[in-house]
Amino acid sequence: MSDLSIQKVVVANRGEIALRIIRAAKELGIRCVALYSEPDRDSLPVIMADEAYCIGPGPSARSYLNIANIISAALLSGADAIHPGYGFLAENSYFAEICSSHGIKFIGPNHEVMNNMADKAMAKQLMSEHGLSVIPGTRGIIQDTREAEAWVAEYGFPVMIKATAGGGGKGMRIAYDLDELISNVKFAQAEAEAAFGIPGVYLERYFPGARHIEVQILADEKGSAVQLGERDCSVQRGYQKLTEESPSPALDDNISTAIKNAALIAAKAAGYTNAGTIEFLVDSDGRFYFLEINARIQVEHPVTEFITGVDIVKAQFIIASGEPLPFDQKDVKMKGHSIECRICAEDPERNFAPSPGQISKLVFPGGPWVRTDSALYPGCHVPPYYDSIIAKVVVWGNDRDEAVARMIRALGEFIIEGISTNLKFQQRLIASPEFKEAKIFCDSDVLSLVFGRTD
Amino acid sequence: MSDLSIQKVVVANRGEIALRIIRAAKELGIRCVALYSEPDRDSLPVIMADEAYCIGPGPSARSYLNIANIISAALLSGADAIHPGYGFLAENSYFAEICSSHGIKFIGPNHEVMNNMADKAMAKQLMSEHGLSVIPGTRGIIQDTREAEAWVAEYGFPVMIKATAGGGGKGMRIAYDLDELISNVKFAQAEAEAAFGIPGVYLERYFPGARHIEVQILADEKGSAVQLGERDCSVQRGYQKLTEESPSPALDDNISTAIKNAALIAAKAAGYTNAGTIEFLVDSDGRFYFLEINARIQVEHPVTEFITGVDIVKAQFIIASGEPLPFDQKDVKMKGHSIECRICAEDPERNFAPSPGQISKLVFPGGPWVRTDSALYPGCHVPPYYDSIIAKVVVWGNDRDEAVARMIRALGEFIIEGISTNLKFQQRLIASPEFKEAKIFCDSDVLSLVFGRTD
Amino acid sequence: MELKDLRREVSGFARIMTSYDIAELELEMEGLTVRLRRETDVSSPHKVGVGAEAPSEDNRIIITAPMVGTFYRAPAPDEEPYISAGGTVLPGQTVCIIEAMKIMNEIQSEVKGRVIEILVENAEPVEYGQPLFILETL
Amino acid sequence: MELKDLRREVSGFARIMTSYDIAELELEMEGLTVRLRRETDVSSPHKVGVGAEAPSEDNRIIITAPMVGTFYRAPAPDEEPYISAGGTVLPGQTVCIIEAMKIMNEIQSEVKGRVIEILVENAEPVEYGQPLFILETL
């Protein structure tokens, strides 16, 4: 029996984040309804939940993205809230609206706020009006290469060409001069047309050596908001995050404070509620630019939990129940350093090809200040339909050196057999001198660094 | 490569504490030598260590207590230190002395200090001289019932009759009046003669409803010492600890501060070095009495690690290397509340009979602020020769309520099949109103509380 | 546990038994005993090439729920059920309704067959893939 | 990995194969391949009642180290080994020394037999239970 207005929640997700949500709900006394696709029938979230409904076959479009089945199951179970996790329907404002029209609380911001923030141009405009620097870029889609040339004449090189329909690192190209600009704009338009059916591309200033910094926000529905510090997510491979940490090893205190304040301004400007992340790019001179708001719980939220002691998913339930945040900014004390490594079912030796299959042997890392968030268990199957993240190894240390040593130790004791994973790749990355010196950022050549070669 | 003078350590223990020591050593860059008995050949510490030596067959006396084989293996491996863990040879001053005579650093206090503290009467005398209250008791062994009567005439009832050769809860009897005293002294002498071959018993005042409080100490070899707060170990079954927590839910701040200061005085009076625990009994009026010093790392050290952020086993290596403590008392900040549950291979339905066997299915609890220290893995065997502790589930919360809710959640997701365990017993205990209200102490009838009956 | 919850559980177990070709299942919990037995004979789908004289189980097909919702046997509470045990259905004939998000979805049979068993009570919730009817194809 | 470490590992694997009656073992690691094959025949100790014509493996016994220490084949560096391959030993005869904590422990054979193989090099460390000699009982 929960003290909150939410008594029963539908977990509209799978894998480690579904388990994470169930854990938070159980600690609050909230009953949990797992939804699952057919291949996930024997998964840990289904086992751990109080009840479970099958919502479709393996492919996401027919199960975890099947709004009708999800809403039906929520109504049948008598749940009063839905937690979408990340990915799938997490940032789908239409889904949020349907939940609300059925009297089910969507755990996240208001669907109108979601809608506004999903329009990147509108979001940038709003933040600019509130005094934040935003990434310089064209106002919207460029019609032709001449328009691109005109913009570059004013703002200069290098520039990034992005497809409006892209995202998650897909459909991005960089140009350093006019020749590259013209050929890449044409190429990007053709590529976007082929990949997404929408040829629209736009330009943004590109900052070599920039770091990817995001600030965790919690905002209640009474108008209070706190920030829980920044996360540095600069270690990426092809725009996919590999490891994240908090605090950033690269920001000085003044910049860190300024970014955190800017994030609070952004959250308030957007009318944001619940847990969310404000993303910034920080260039090599320490100037920072608003990028976007991620209106969801994020994969890397555990590093923030480790340094603040705040249970972000529990806070989501409290906020969604209409309660005020049980603490304010001065109660948030940051201590030590935390790092997360994403362990994925993929084969680094075969260009990170997905590697589904059955887990034959499994020993998680453990011991002090090591947290492994994963829905794997020995003998379980990793189905081919979903995101390849199968485990997150998160460590805490009194300082970054201790955290790095602990992560090396933890990855070293992780045994996972039956499928290929990026575990060894991550071990080499974390143990590299470049990582220890925090010299890896978004456009570093991580592959050559880890493999000692370019490919 | 370690920055410390210790470069290679022999782990003279098994199970979860061996794994704990290996984890700390690896984070410091110290190479690890596992020692194992024949049935422990495929155990996790052997798998995780850098090298391993078999030191004998299953029975402890021929392996984990086999000093000759342990020292030989240490010499052959070229190790410069031995960590004894808890139990086995951890408080054997003779073993510590042999280590030292072979030029191997014993990770613990000086063997002379160990020897002094092992003599309970001498330890009490010393602490009394330093102004600590000690449990009132006879100066040593009582010769006959008349001597017992004389002591009781001065100090009163109730009294506890203890065998000098006993320990860990064995050989203890309580008397509330003269009849019980006479019969129990005779009985205890006969029992001690039969069980230990030594009939000597002594008397101590017995305090009904007293709580068992211990203070974690770290003292370096340069003369500095810090305390890391108290642990409340009052929840016991037949003098065996079941759960431990920090801070104590029953002490007010004044008493807590006074006990912690007394512990530092005791450690200094004893010339104590390395990690150790000062044990006190706190009666229902808040008066506290020195009991003894535990000269070892203790089973329940993780609760202190959780609330302080101090890695106690790493600190042991740093101290044993002759380094000063890297922090002082004012750097030690306690935050939140931590609880540990001991999970044992025993059957509560059959009077807690040991339950060795093969683990057929195993899923550890996980998620935020849950730490499971265990050397179990799926398919491993729990041999019949050793202590029945197979896992420690430790949680942290911002306050005790959050920690209790988290422990209930964590125990609920622990799946362990193939052997009987006290998991369900612990679940009922932690979920009981008496535990929530911290009303369970050493002589509570835990069994009737959990089972709803007396037996 | 209420009887209705128990039924859903038992139906779940039965499905597991079918999926994994399990002949018997016994369960004992505090105050609850469940025993299930299945005929796993030579006509099991795992065995190939049994051929002509295969018993009638070979002709059985199961209609499962294509969506999550509430199962209704009739178009309205006061009307006749679409089909009943022993009756015959034709391809394309409506066998039940599943209400999902206030929309009544008519579920059709894809084969011609005789209704052997109706597995779900009227007005009960069904999940995706849950068996609704056993038919014997004709 | 040094050759001597490798030898200890291989001896460990061999022991596991014997314990669990494993016929073949293959291992591949970065830059290392190990293949082991055992003759597990009808005379395997797990099979009872094979009787008279059992091959000679049945008569083999292994002398293992009763303690951890350093293995010496001779009482002193300049003296003859206690036993050599092909030689005969009697019950109670010293077969080697294991030095542990500066003490020289003479290890005796419990049976009469012929030395088939000596499994450890002189002056090598041995752990508890490590096979030292293979004898054929006489």
Side-chain angles (χ1 to χ4, degrees), chain B residues 343-420:
Chain B
I343 306 304
C344 298
E346 60 188 22
D347 188 351
E349 301 291 334
R350 296 193 302 121
N351 199 27
F352 297 87
S355 174
Q358 188 176 16
I359 304 294
S360 56
K361 191 170 174 189
L362 183 70
V363 178
F364 284 139
W369 299 289
V370 174
R371 165 178 171 186
T372 307
D373 273 23
S374 172
L376 296 186
Y377 60 88
C380 78
H381 289 265
V382 177
Y385 305 106
Y386 314 111
D387 194 285
S388 65
I389 298 181
I390 49 171
K392 305 184 315 202
V393 179
V394 197
V395 302
W396 177 89
N398 279 289
D399 53 32
R400 190 172 189 266
D401 285 347
E402 186 175 53
V404 171
R406 192 159 277 148
M407 181 62 90
I408 292 171
R409 186 270 289 176
L411 295 180
E413 64 187 57
F414 198 161
I415 300 173
I416 176 165
E417 292 175 9
I419 61 171
S420 296

Side-chain angles (χ1 to χ4, degrees), chain A residues 65-273:
Chain A
L65 293 171
N66 186 330
I67 293 178
N69 279 358
I70 291 170
I71 297 285
S72 294
L75 293 172
L76 292 177
S77 70
D80 38 34
I82 286 186
H83 197 306
Y86 55 70
F88 296 130
L89 298 169
E91 292 182 273
N92 185 321
S93 58
Y94 169 67
F95 177 65
E97 195 176 349
I98 293 183
C99 288
S100 145
S101 71
H102 282 86
I104 301 166
K105 178 74 185 182
F106 175 85
I107 299 179
N110 182 289
H111 62 88
E112 283 158 10
V113 172
M114 286 171 75
N115 219 3
N116 292 344
M117 292 305 106
D119 183 333
K120 307 297 176 197
M122 190 199 278
K124 277 166 71 177
Q125 174 69 28
L126 179 70
M127 296 313 156
S128 188
E129 284 164 12
H130 281 80
L132 271 68
S133 297
V134 299
I135 291 274
T138 56
R139 277 210 166 243
I141 294 170
I142 50 168
Q143 298 306 322
D144 50 30
T145 53
R146 270 191 307 168
E147 203 177 324
E149 282 177 58
W151 189 86
V152 163
E154 190 173 347
Y155 292 93
F157 283 105
V159 294
M160 186 172 272
I161 301 129
K162 290 183 170 180
T164 50
K170 291 181 185 80
M172 293 183 183
R173 313 197 136 252
I174 297 163
Y176 285 87
D177 58 34
L178 219 53
D179 283 353
E180 282 186 336
L181 178 71
I182 292 167
S183 66
N184 276 341
V185 164
K186 286 179 181 167
F187 202 96
Q189 286 176 325
E191 196 179 51
E193 168 86 63
F196 312 114
I198 303 166
V201 300
Y202 60 101
L203 301 188
E204 263 180 8
R205 247 327 273 282
Y206 173 64
F207 298 94
R211 297 192 77 94
H212 176 112
I213 303 289
E214 58 187 28
V215 178
Q216 177 69 53
I217 295 289
L218 286 178
D220 66 24
E221 298 177 359
K222 312 278 189 192
S224 293
V226 297
Q227 51 81 12
L228 302 180
E230 83 273 8
R231 291 188 290 257
D232 192 320
C233 311
S234 302
V235 183
Q236 307 190 354
R237 183 186 63 79
Y239 308 104
Q240 299 295 317
K241 295 172 187 169
L242 287 169
T243 80
E244 303 95 346
E245 56 191 301
S246 183
S248 167
L251 299 189
D252 71 31
D253 285 353
N254 289 339
I255 297 174
S256 167
T257 304
I259 290 181
K260 288 184 278 201
N261 288 339
L264 276 177
I265 292 168
K268 283 180 181 164
Y272 197 86
T273 55

Side-chain angles (χ1 to χ4, degrees), chain B residues 215-421:
Chain B
V215 179
Q216 177 68 53
I217 295 288
L218 286 177
D220 66 24
E221 297 176 359
K222 312 280 189 189
S224 293
V226 297
Q227 51 80 11
L228 302 181
E230 83 272 8
R231 290 188 291 257
D232 193 319
C233 310
S234 301
V235 183
Q236 307 191 355
R237 183 186 64 79
Y239 308 104
Q240 299 294 317
K241 293 172 189 171
L242 287 169
T243 79
E244 303 95 345
E245 56 191 302
S246 184
S248 167
L251 299 189
D252 70 32
D253 285 353
N254 290 339
I255 298 174
S256 167
T257 303
I259 290 181
K260 288 183 278 200
N261 289 337
L264 276 177
I265 292 168
K268 283 179 180 165
Y272 197 85
T273 54
N274 215 291
T277 303
I278 321 294
E279 274 193 69
F280 297 91
L281 217 58
V282 182
D283 72 15
S284 41
D285 297 325
R287 281 182 301 246
F288 59 91
Y289 304 91
F290 170 84
L291 269 181
E292 60 176 322
I293 296 188
N294 294 307
R296 59 167 190 272
I297 185 78
Q298 280 198 289
V299 175
E300 57 269 28
H301 75 277
V303 298
T304 300
E305 295 188 324
F306 246 142
I307 63 156
T308 61
V310 174
D311 187 321
I312 298 173
V313 183
K314 269 164 83 166
Q316 290 192 288
F317 281 108
I318 291 166
I319 292 168
S321 295
E323 302 291 324
L325 274 172
F327 50 84
D328 59 24
Q329 191 66 56
K330 73 171 173 359
D331 300 321
V332 179
K333 302 263 189 294
M334 324 257 175
K335 184 181 176 189
H337 196 97
S338 179
I339 305 176
E340 170 181 283
C341 274
R342 300 183 180 202
I343 306 304
C344 298
E346 60 188 22
D347 188 351
E349 301 291 334
R350 296 193 302 121
N351 199 27
F352 297 87
S355 174
Q358 188 176 16
I359 304 294
S360 56
K361 191 170 174 189
L362 183 70
V363 178
F364 284 139
W369 299 289
V370 174
R371 165 178 171 186
T372 307
D373 273 23
S374 172
L376 296 186
Y377 60 88
C380 78
H381 289 265
V382 177
Y385 305 106
Y386 314 111
D387 194 285
S388 65
I389 298 181
I390 49 171
K392 305 184 315 202
V393 179
V394 197
V395 302
W396 177 89
N398 279 289
D399 53 32
R400 190 172 189 266
D401 285 347
E402 186 175 53
V404 171
R406 192 159 277 148
M407 181 62 90
I408 292 171
R409 186 270 289 176
L411 295 180
E413 64 187 57
F414 198 161
I415 300 173
I416 176 165
E417 292 175 9
I419 61 171
S420 296
T421 73

Side-chain angles (χ1 to χ4, degrees), chain A residues 274-287:
Chain A
N274 216 291
T277 303
I278 321 294
E279 276 193 69
F280 297 91
L281 216 58
V282 182
D283 73 14
S284 41
D285 296 324
R287 281 183 299 247

